[in-house]
Amino acid sequence: MKEISVVIPVYNSENILHELNFQIHENLKAHNYELILVNDCSKDNSWNVIKEISRKFKNTNGINLRINCGQDNAIMAGLNYCSGEYIVIMDDDLQHSPNDICSLIEECKKGYDVCYANFEKKNQKNWK
């Protein structure tokens, strides 16, 4: 069993996946963790990048969905696969910083079942 599972739904993110993996690895290298990247039928080269990262990093696993199921279903697919005592769900675009993972886990260790990040500023489209 892993200490931490990080589940990330991926959609058309081939250009950022290496950086995302690097930042997660740098922040969690002192922990027993797994990274689960769930490709939600991306139209770009995301699945090939996930396979490449998974070959290089034994703690990274990829799931490739046959059809586009949406973010929530991609998250559920990752949750069904993960084994961590603590589970972190992040977006694939680095809007959620891997630097915050350990702080969230420390809060959970105080006895909380769930911790959420509160963003001071969100870089999203207004409709979101």
CSV table of all heavy atoms in Angstrom, one decimal, residues 54-108:
chain,number,residue,atom,x,y,z
A,54,SER,N,5.5,6.6,-17.8
A,54,SER,CA,5.3,5.3,-17.0
A,54,SER,C,6.5,4.4,-17.1
A,54,SER,O,6.8,3.6,-16.2
A,54,SER,CB,4.0,4.6,-17.4
A,54,SER,OG,2.9,5.4,-17.1
A,55,ARG,N,7.1,4.3,-18.3
A,55,ARG,CA,8.3,3.5,-18.5
A,55,ARG,C,9.5,4.0,-17.6
A,55,ARG,O,10.3,3.2,-17.1
A,55,ARG,CB,8.6,3.4,-19.9
A,55,ARG,CG,7.7,2.4,-20.7
A,55,ARG,CD,8.3,2.2,-22.1
A,55,ARG,NE,8.3,3.3,-23.0
A,55,ARG,CZ,7.4,3.7,-23.8
A,55,ARG,NH1,6.2,3.1,-23.8
A,55,ARG,NH2,7.5,4.8,-24.5
A,56,LYS,N,9.6,5.3,-17.5
A,56,LYS,CA,10.8,5.9,-16.8
A,56,LYS,C,10.6,5.9,-15.3
A,56,LYS,O,11.6,5.9,-14.6
A,56,LYS,CB,11.0,7.3,-17.4
A,56,LYS,CG,11.5,7.4,-18.8
A,56,LYS,CD,11.7,8.8,-19.2
A,56,LYS,CE,12.2,8.9,-20.6
A,56,LYS,NZ,12.3,10.3,-21.1
A,57,PHE,N,9.4,6.0,-14.9
A,57,PHE,CA,9.1,6.2,-13.4
A,57,PHE,C,8.2,5.1,-13.0
A,57,PHE,O,7.0,5.0,-13.3
A,57,PHE,CB,8.4,7.5,-13.1
A,57,PHE,CG,9.3,8.7,-13.4
A,57,PHE,CD1,9.4,9.3,-14.7
A,57,PHE,CD2,10.0,9.3,-12.4
A,57,PHE,CE1,10.2,10.4,-14.9
A,57,PHE,CE2,10.8,10.4,-12.6
A,57,PHE,CZ,10.9,10.9,-13.9
A,58,LYS,N,8.7,4.2,-12.2
A,58,LYS,CA,8.0,3.0,-11.7
A,58,LYS,C,6.8,3.3,-10.9
A,58,LYS,O,5.9,2.5,-10.8
A,58,LYS,CB,8.9,2.0,-11.0
A,58,LYS,CG,9.4,2.5,-9.7
A,58,LYS,CD,10.3,1.5,-9.0
A,58,LYS,CE,10.9,2.2,-7.8
A,58,LYS,NZ,10.7,1.6,-6.6
A,59,ASN,N,6.7,4.5,-10.3
A,59,ASN,CA,5.6,4.8,-9.5
A,59,ASN,C,4.5,5.6,-10.3
A,59,ASN,O,3.6,6.1,-9.7
A,59,ASN,CB,6.1,5.7,-8.3
A,59,ASN,CG,6.8,6.9,-8.7
A,59,ASN,OD1,7.2,7.0,-9.9
A,59,ASN,ND2,7.0,7.8,-7.8
A,60,THR,N,4.7,5.7,-11.6
A,60,THR,CA,3.7,6.3,-12.4
A,60,THR,C,3.0,5.3,-13.3
A,60,THR,O,3.6,4.5,-13.9
A,60,THR,CB,4.3,7.4,-13.3
A,60,THR,OG1,5.0,8.4,-12.5
A,60,THR,CG2,3.3,8.1,-14.2
A,61,ASN,N,1.6,5.3,-13.2
A,61,ASN,CA,0.8,4.4,-14.0
A,61,ASN,C,-0.2,5.2,-14.9
A,61,ASN,O,-0.6,6.3,-14.5
A,61,ASN,CB,0.0,3.5,-13.1
A,61,ASN,CG,1.0,2.6,-12.3
A,61,ASN,OD1,1.7,1.8,-12.9
A,61,ASN,ND2,1.0,2.7,-11.0
A,62,GLY,N,-0.5,4.7,-16.0
A,62,GLY,CA,-1.4,5.3,-16.9
A,62,GLY,C,-2.6,4.4,-17.2
A,62,GLY,O,-2.5,3.2,-17.2
A,63,ILE,N,-3.7,5.1,-17.3
A,63,ILE,CA,-5.0,4.4,-17.7
A,63,ILE,C,-5.5,5.1,-18.9
A,63,ILE,O,-5.5,6.4,-19.0
A,63,ILE,CB,-6.1,4.6,-16.6
A,63,ILE,CG1,-5.6,3.8,-15.3
A,63,ILE,CG2,-7.4,4.0,-17.0
A,63,ILE,CD1,-6.5,4.1,-14.1
A,64,ASN,N,-5.8,4.4,-20.0
A,64,ASN,CA,-6.3,5.0,-21.2
A,64,ASN,C,-7.7,4.6,-21.4
A,64,ASN,O,-8.1,3.5,-21.7
A,64,ASN,CB,-5.4,4.4,-22.4
A,64,ASN,CG,-5.6,5.2,-23.6
A,64,ASN,OD1,-6.0,6.4,-23.6
A,64,ASN,ND2,-5.4,4.5,-24.8
A,65,LEU,N,-8.6,5.6,-21.4
A,65,LEU,CA,-10.1,5.4,-21.6
A,65,LEU,C,-10.3,5.3,-23.1
A,65,LEU,O,-9.8,6.1,-23.9
A,65,LEU,CB,-10.9,6.5,-20.9
A,65,LEU,CG,-10.7,6.6,-19.4
A,65,LEU,CD1,-11.5,7.8,-18.9
A,65,LEU,CD2,-11.0,5.4,-18.7
A,66,ARG,N,-11.2,4.4,-23.5
A,66,ARG,CA,-11.5,4.2,-24.9
A,66,ARG,C,-12.3,5.3,-25.5
A,66,ARG,O,-12.1,5.6,-26.7
A,66,ARG,CB,-12.3,2.9,-25.1
A,66,ARG,CG,-11.5,1.6,-25.0
A,66,ARG,CD,-12.4,0.4,-25.4
A,66,ARG,NE,-13.7,0.4,-24.7
A,66,ARG,CZ,-14.8,0.2,-25.4
A,66,ARG,NH1,-14.8,0.0,-26.6
A,66,ARG,NH2,-16.0,0.3,-24.7
A,67,ILE,N,-13.1,5.9,-24.7
A,67,ILE,CA,-14.0,7.0,-25.2
A,67,ILE,C,-13.8,8.1,-24.2
A,67,ILE,O,-13.4,7.9,-23.0
A,67,ILE,CB,-15.4,6.6,-25.4
A,67,ILE,CG1,-16.0,6.2,-24.0
A,67,ILE,CG2,-15.6,5.6,-26.4
A,67,ILE,CD1,-17.5,6.0,-24.0
A,68,ASN,N,-14.1,9.3,-24.6
A,68,ASN,CA,-14.1,10.5,-23.7
A,68,ASN,C,-15.3,10.4,-22.7
A,68,ASN,O,-16.4,10.4,-23.1
A,68,ASN,CB,-14.2,11.8,-24.5
A,68,ASN,CG,-14.1,13.0,-23.6
A,68,ASN,OD1,-15.1,13.5,-23.1
A,68,ASN,ND2,-12.9,13.5,-23.4
A,69,CYS,N,-14.9,10.2,-21.5
A,69,CYS,CA,-15.9,10.0,-20.4
A,69,CYS,C,-16.2,11.3,-19.6
A,69,CYS,O,-17.1,11.3,-18.7
A,69,CYS,CB,-15.5,8.9,-19.5
A,69,CYS,SG,-15.4,7.3,-20.4
A,70,GLY,N,-15.3,12.3,-19.7
A,70,GLY,CA,-15.4,13.5,-18.9
A,70,GLY,C,-14.5,13.4,-17.6
A,70,GLY,O,-14.1,12.3,-17.2
A,71,GLN,N,-14.3,14.5,-17.1
A,71,GLN,CA,-13.3,14.7,-16.0
A,71,GLN,C,-13.7,13.8,-14.8
A,71,GLN,O,-12.9,13.1,-14.2
A,71,GLN,CB,-13.2,16.1,-15.6
A,71,GLN,CG,-12.2,16.3,-14.5
A,71,GLN,CD,-12.0,17.8,-14.1
A,71,GLN,OE1,-12.9,18.6,-14.4
A,71,GLN,NE2,-10.8,18.1,-13.5
A,72,ASP,N,-15.0,13.9,-14.4
A,72,ASP,CA,-15.4,13.2,-13.2
A,72,ASP,C,-15.3,11.7,-13.3
A,72,ASP,O,-14.8,11.0,-12.4
A,72,ASP,CB,-16.9,13.5,-12.8
A,72,ASP,CG,-17.0,15.0,-12.4
A,72,ASP,OD1,-16.0,15.5,-11.9
A,72,ASP,OD2,-18.1,15.5,-12.5
A,73,ASN,N,-15.6,11.1,-14.5
A,73,ASN,CA,-15.5,9.7,-14.7
A,73,ASN,C,-14.0,9.3,-14.8
A,73,ASN,O,-13.7,8.2,-14.4
A,73,ASN,CB,-16.3,9.3,-16.0
A,73,ASN,CG,-17.8,9.3,-15.7
A,73,ASN,OD1,-18.2,8.9,-14.6
A,73,ASN,ND2,-18.5,9.8,-16.6
A,74,ALA,N,-13.2,10.1,-15.4
A,74,ALA,CA,-11.8,9.8,-15.5
A,74,ALA,C,-11.2,9.8,-14.0
A,74,ALA,O,-10.4,8.9,-13.7
A,74,ALA,CB,-11.1,10.9,-16.3
A,75,ILE,N,-11.6,10.7,-13.2
A,75,ILE,CA,-11.2,10.7,-11.8
A,75,ILE,C,-11.6,9.4,-11.1
A,75,ILE,O,-10.9,8.7,-10.4
A,75,ILE,CB,-11.8,11.9,-11.0
A,75,ILE,CG1,-11.1,13.2,-11.5
A,75,ILE,CG2,-11.6,11.7,-9.5
A,75,ILE,CD1,-11.7,14.5,-11.0
A,76,MET,N,-12.9,9.0,-11.4
A,76,MET,CA,-13.4,7.7,-10.8
A,76,MET,C,-12.6,6.5,-11.2
A,76,MET,O,-12.3,5.6,-10.4
A,76,MET,CB,-14.9,7.5,-11.1
A,76,MET,CG,-15.8,8.5,-10.4
A,76,MET,SD,-15.6,8.5,-8.6
A,76,MET,CE,-16.2,6.9,-8.2
A,77,ALA,N,-12.2,6.5,-12.5
A,77,ALA,CA,-11.4,5.4,-13.0
A,77,ALA,C,-10.0,5.4,-12.2
A,77,ALA,O,-9.6,4.3,-11.8
A,77,ALA,CB,-11.1,5.6,-14.5
A,78,GLY,N,-9.4,6.5,-12.0
A,78,GLY,CA,-8.2,6.6,-11.2
A,78,GLY,C,-8.4,6.2,-9.8
A,78,GLY,O,-7.6,5.5,-9.2
A,79,LEU,N,-9.5,6.6,-9.2
A,79,LEU,CA,-9.8,6.2,-7.8
A,79,LEU,C,-10.0,4.7,-7.6
A,79,LEU,O,-9.6,4.2,-6.6
A,79,LEU,CB,-11.0,7.0,-7.3
A,79,LEU,CG,-10.9,8.5,-7.1
A,79,LEU,CD1,-12.2,9.1,-6.7
A,79,LEU,CD2,-9.8,8.8,-6.1
A,80,ASN,N,-10.5,4.1,-8.6
A,80,ASN,CA,-10.7,2.6,-8.6
A,80,ASN,C,-9.4,1.9,-8.6
A,80,ASN,O,-9.3,0.8,-8.2
A,80,ASN,CB,-11.6,2.2,-9.7
A,80,ASN,CG,-13.1,2.5,-9.4
A,80,ASN,OD1,-13.5,2.3,-8.3
A,80,ASN,ND2,-13.8,2.9,-10.5
A,81,TYR,N,-8.4,2.5,-9.2
A,81,TYR,CA,-7.1,1.9,-9.3
A,81,TYR,C,-6.1,2.2,-8.2
A,81,TYR,O,-5.2,1.4,-8.0
A,81,TYR,CB,-6.5,2.3,-10.7
A,81,TYR,CG,-5.2,1.6,-11.0
A,81,TYR,CD1,-5.2,0.4,-11.6
A,81,TYR,CD2,-4.0,2.3,-10.8
A,81,TYR,CE1,-4.0,-0.3,-11.9
A,81,TYR,CE2,-2.8,1.6,-11.2
A,81,TYR,CZ,-2.8,0.4,-11.7
A,81,TYR,OH,-1.7,-0.3,-12.0
A,82,CYS,N,-6.2,3.3,-7.5
A,82,CYS,CA,-5.2,3.7,-6.6
A,82,CYS,C,-5.2,2.9,-5.3
A,82,CYS,O,-6.2,2.3,-4.9
A,82,CYS,CB,-5.3,5.2,-6.3
A,82,CYS,SG,-6.8,5.7,-5.4
A,83,SER,N,-4.1,3.0,-4.6
A,83,SER,CA,-4.0,2.2,-3.3
A,83,SER,C,-3.5,3.0,-2.2
A,83,SER,O,-3.1,2.5,-1.1
A,83,SER,CB,-3.0,1.0,-3.6
A,83,SER,OG,-1.7,1.5,-3.9
A,84,GLY,N,-3.4,4.3,-2.3
A,84,GLY,CA,-2.8,5.2,-1.3
A,84,GLY,C,-3.7,5.4,0.0
A,84,GLY,O,-4.9,5.3,-0.1
A,85,GLU,N,-3.0,5.5,1.1
A,85,GLU,CA,-3.7,5.9,2.3
A,85,GLU,C,-4.3,7.2,2.2
A,85,GLU,O,-5.4,7.5,2.7
A,85,GLU,CB,-2.7,5.8,3.5
A,85,GLU,CG,-3.4,6.1,4.8
A,85,GLU,CD,-2.4,6.0,6.0
A,85,GLU,OE1,-1.2,5.7,5.8
A,85,GLU,OE2,-2.8,6.4,7.1
A,86,TYR,N,-3.6,8.1,1.5
A,86,TYR,CA,-4.1,9.5,1.2
A,86,TYR,C,-4.2,9.6,-0.3
A,86,TYR,O,-3.3,9.2,-1.0
A,86,TYR,CB,-3.2,10.6,1.8
A,86,TYR,CG,-3.1,10.5,3.3
A,86,TYR,CD1,-2.0,9.8,3.9
A,86,TYR,CD2,-4.0,11.0,4.1
A,86,TYR,CE1,-1.9,9.7,5.3
A,86,TYR,CE2,-3.9,11.0,5.5
A,86,TYR,CZ,-2.9,10.3,6.1
A,86,TYR,OH,-2.8,10.2,7.4
A,87,ILE,N,-5.3,10.2,-0.7
A,87,ILE,CA,-5.5,10.4,-2.2
A,87,ILE,C,-5.7,11.9,-2.5
A,87,ILE,O,-6.4,12.6,-1.9
A,87,ILE,CB,-6.8,9.6,-2.6
A,87,ILE,CG1,-6.7,8.1,-2.3
A,87,ILE,CG2,-7.0,9.8,-4.1
A,87,ILE,CD1,-7.9,7.4,-2.5
A,88,VAL,N,-4.9,12.3,-3.5
A,88,VAL,CA,-4.9,13.7,-3.9
A,88,VAL,C,-5.4,13.7,-5.4
A,88,VAL,O,-4.9,12.9,-6.2
A,88,VAL,CB,-3.5,14.3,-3.9
A,88,VAL,CG1,-3.5,15.7,-4.4
A,88,VAL,CG2,-3.0,14.3,-2.5
A,89,ILE,N,-6.4,14.5,-5.7
A,89,ILE,CA,-6.9,14.7,-7.0
A,89,ILE,C,-6.5,16.1,-7.5
A,89,ILE,O,-6.8,17.1,-6.8
A,89,ILE,CB,-8.5,14.5,-7.0
A,89,ILE,CG1,-8.9,13.2,-6.5
A,89,ILE,CG2,-9.0,14.8,-8.4
A,89,ILE,CD1,-10.4,13.0,-6.2
A,90,MET,N,-5.9,16.1,-8.7
A,90,MET,CA,-5.4,17.3,-9.2
A,90,MET,C,-5.8,17.5,-10.7
A,90,MET,O,-6.1,16.4,-11.3
A,90,MET,CB,-3.9,17.4,-9.2
A,90,MET,CG,-3.3,17.3,-7.8
A,90,MET,SD,-1.5,17.3,-7.8
A,90,MET,CE,-1.1,18.8,-8.7
A,91,ASP,N,-5.8,18.7,-11.2
A,91,ASP,CA,-6.0,18.9,-12.6
A,91,ASP,C,-4.6,18.7,-13.3
A,91,ASP,O,-3.6,18.7,-12.7
A,91,ASP,CB,-6.5,20.3,-12.9
A,91,ASP,CG,-7.9,20.5,-12.5
A,91,ASP,OD1,-8.6,19.5,-12.3
A,91,ASP,OD2,-8.4,21.6,-12.5
A,92,ASP,N,-4.7,18.5,-14.6
A,92,ASP,CA,-3.5,18.3,-15.4
A,92,ASP,C,-2.7,19.5,-15.9
A,92,ASP,O,-1.7,19.4,-16.5
A,92,ASP,CB,-3.8,17.4,-16.6
A,92,ASP,CG,-4.8,18.0,-17.6
A,92,ASP,OD1,-5.3,19.1,-17.3
A,92,ASP,OD2,-5.0,17.4,-18.6
A,93,ASP,N,-3.2,20.7,-15.6
A,93,ASP,CA,-2.6,21.9,-16.2
A,93,ASP,C,-1.8,22.7,-15.2
A,93,ASP,O,-1.4,23.8,-15.5
A,93,ASP,CB,-3.8,22.8,-16.7
A,93,ASP,CG,-4.8,23.2,-15.6
A,93,ASP,OD1,-4.6,22.8,-14.4
A,93,ASP,OD2,-5.8,23.8,-16.0
A,94,LEU,N,-1.4,22.1,-14.1
A,94,LEU,CA,-0.6,22.8,-13.0
A,94,LEU,C,-1.3,24.0,-12.4
A,94,LEU,O,-0.6,24.8,-11.7
A,94,LEU,CB,0.8,23.1,-13.6
A,94,LEU,CG,1.7,21.9,-13.8
A,94,LEU,CD1,3.0,22.4,-14.5
A,94,LEU,CD2,2.0,21.3,-12.4
A,95,GLN,N,-2.6,24.1,-12.5
A,95,GLN,CA,-3.3,25.1,-11.8
A,95,GLN,C,-3.3,24.7,-10.3
A,95,GLN,O,-3.3,25.6,-9.4
A,95,GLN,CB,-4.8,25.3,-12.3
A,95,GLN,CG,-4.9,25.8,-13.6
A,95,GLN,CD,-5.2,27.3,-13.6
A,95,GLN,OE1,-5.3,28.0,-12.6
A,95,GLN,NE2,-5.4,27.9,-14.8
A,96,HIS,N,-3.3,23.4,-10.1
A,96,HIS,CA,-3.1,22.9,-8.7
A,96,HIS,C,-1.6,22.6,-8.6
A,96,HIS,O,-1.1,21.8,-9.3
A,96,HIS,CB,-3.9,21.6,-8.5
A,96,HIS,CG,-5.4,21.7,-8.7
A,96,HIS,ND1,-6.1,20.7,-9.2
A,96,HIS,CD2,-6.2,22.8,-8.5
A,96,HIS,CE1,-7.4,21.1,-9.3
A,96,HIS,NE2,-7.4,22.4,-8.9
A,97,SER,N,-1.0,23.3,-7.6
A,97,SER,CA,0.5,23.1,-7.5
A,97,SER,C,0.9,21.9,-6.7
A,97,SER,O,0.4,21.7,-5.6
A,97,SER,CB,1.1,24.4,-6.8
A,97,SER,OG,2.5,24.2,-6.6
A,98,PRO,N,1.7,21.1,-7.3
A,98,PRO,CA,2.3,19.9,-6.6
A,98,PRO,C,3.0,20.3,-5.3
A,98,PRO,O,3.1,19.5,-4.4
A,98,PRO,CB,3.2,19.3,-7.5
A,98,PRO,CG,2.7,19.6,-8.9
A,98,PRO,CD,2.2,21.0,-8.7
A,99,ASN,N,3.4,21.6,-5.2
A,99,ASN,CA,4.0,22.1,-3.9
A,99,ASN,C,3.1,22.0,-2.7
A,99,ASN,O,3.5,22.0,-1.6
A,99,ASN,CB,4.5,23.5,-4.1
A,99,ASN,CG,5.6,23.7,-5.2
A,99,ASN,OD1,6.4,22.8,-5.4
A,99,ASN,ND2,5.6,24.8,-5.8
A,100,ASP,N,1.8,22.0,-3.0
A,100,ASP,CA,0.8,22.0,-1.9
A,100,ASP,C,0.4,20.6,-1.4
A,100,ASP,O,-0.3,20.5,-0.4
A,100,ASP,CB,-0.5,22.7,-2.4
A,100,ASP,CG,-0.2,24.2,-2.7
A,100,ASP,OD1,0.7,24.8,-2.0
A,100,ASP,OD2,-0.9,24.7,-3.6
A,101,ILE,N,0.8,19.6,-2.1
A,101,ILE,CA,0.4,18.2,-1.7
A,101,ILE,C,0.7,17.9,-0.3
A,101,ILE,O,-0.1,17.4,0.5
A,101,ILE,CB,0.9,17.1,-2.7
A,101,ILE,CG1,0.3,17.3,-4.1
A,101,ILE,CG2,0.7,15.7,-2.2
A,101,ILE,CD1,1.0,16.5,-5.2
A,102,CYS,N,2.0,18.1,0.1
A,102,CYS,CA,2.4,17.7,1.4
A,102,CYS,C,1.7,18.5,2.5
A,102,CYS,O,1.3,17.9,3.6
A,102,CYS,CB,3.9,17.9,1.6
A,102,CYS,SG,4.8,16.6,0.6
A,103,SER,N,1.4,19.7,2.3
A,103,SER,CA,0.6,20.5,3.2
A,103,SER,C,-0.8,20.0,3.4
A,103,SER,O,-1.3,19.9,4.5
A,103,SER,CB,0.5,22.0,2.8
A,103,SER,OG,1.8,22.6,2.7
A,104,LEU,N,-1.4,19.6,2.3
A,104,LEU,CA,-2.8,19.0,2.4
A,104,LEU,C,-2.7,17.7,3.2
A,104,LEU,O,-3.6,17.4,4.0
A,104,LEU,CB,-3.4,18.7,1.0
A,104,LEU,CG,-3.7,20.0,0.2
A,104,LEU,CD1,-4.0,19.6,-1.3
A,104,LEU,CD2,-4.9,20.7,0.8
A,105,ILE,N,-1.7,16.9,2.9
A,105,ILE,CA,-1.6,15.6,3.6
A,105,ILE,C,-1.4,15.8,5.1
A,105,ILE,O,-2.0,15.1,6.0
A,105,ILE,CB,-0.4,14.7,3.0
A,105,ILE,CG1,-0.7,14.4,1.6
A,105,ILE,CG2,-0.2,13.5,3.9
A,105,ILE,CD1,-1.9,13.6,1.3
A,106,GLU,N,-0.6,16.8,5.5
A,106,GLU,CA,-0.3,17.1,6.9
A,106,GLU,C,-1.6,17.5,7.6
A,106,GLU,O,-1.9,17.2,8.7
A,106,GLU,CB,0.7,18.2,7.0
A,106,GLU,CG,2.1,17.7,6.7
A,106,GLU,CD,2.5,16.5,7.5
A,106,GLU,OE1,2.3,16.4,8.8
A,106,GLU,OE2,3.0,15.5,6.9
A,107,GLU,N,-2.5,18.3,6.9
A,107,GLU,CA,-3.8,18.7,7.5
A,107,GLU,C,-4.6,17.4,7.7
A,107,GLU,O,-5.3,17.3,8.7
A,107,GLU,CB,-4.5,19.7,6.6
A,107,GLU,CG,-3.9,21.1,6.6
A,107,GLU,CD,-3.9,21.7,8.0
A,107,GLU,OE1,-4.9,21.6,8.7
A,107,GLU,OE2,-2.8,22.2,8.5
A,108,CYS,N,-4.6,16.5,6.7
A,108,CYS,CA,-5.4,15.3,6.9
A,108,CYS,C,-4.9,14.5,8.1
A,108,CYS,O,-5.7,13.8,8.8
A,108,CYS,CB,-5.4,14.5,5.6
A,108,CYS,SG,-6.4,15.1,4.3
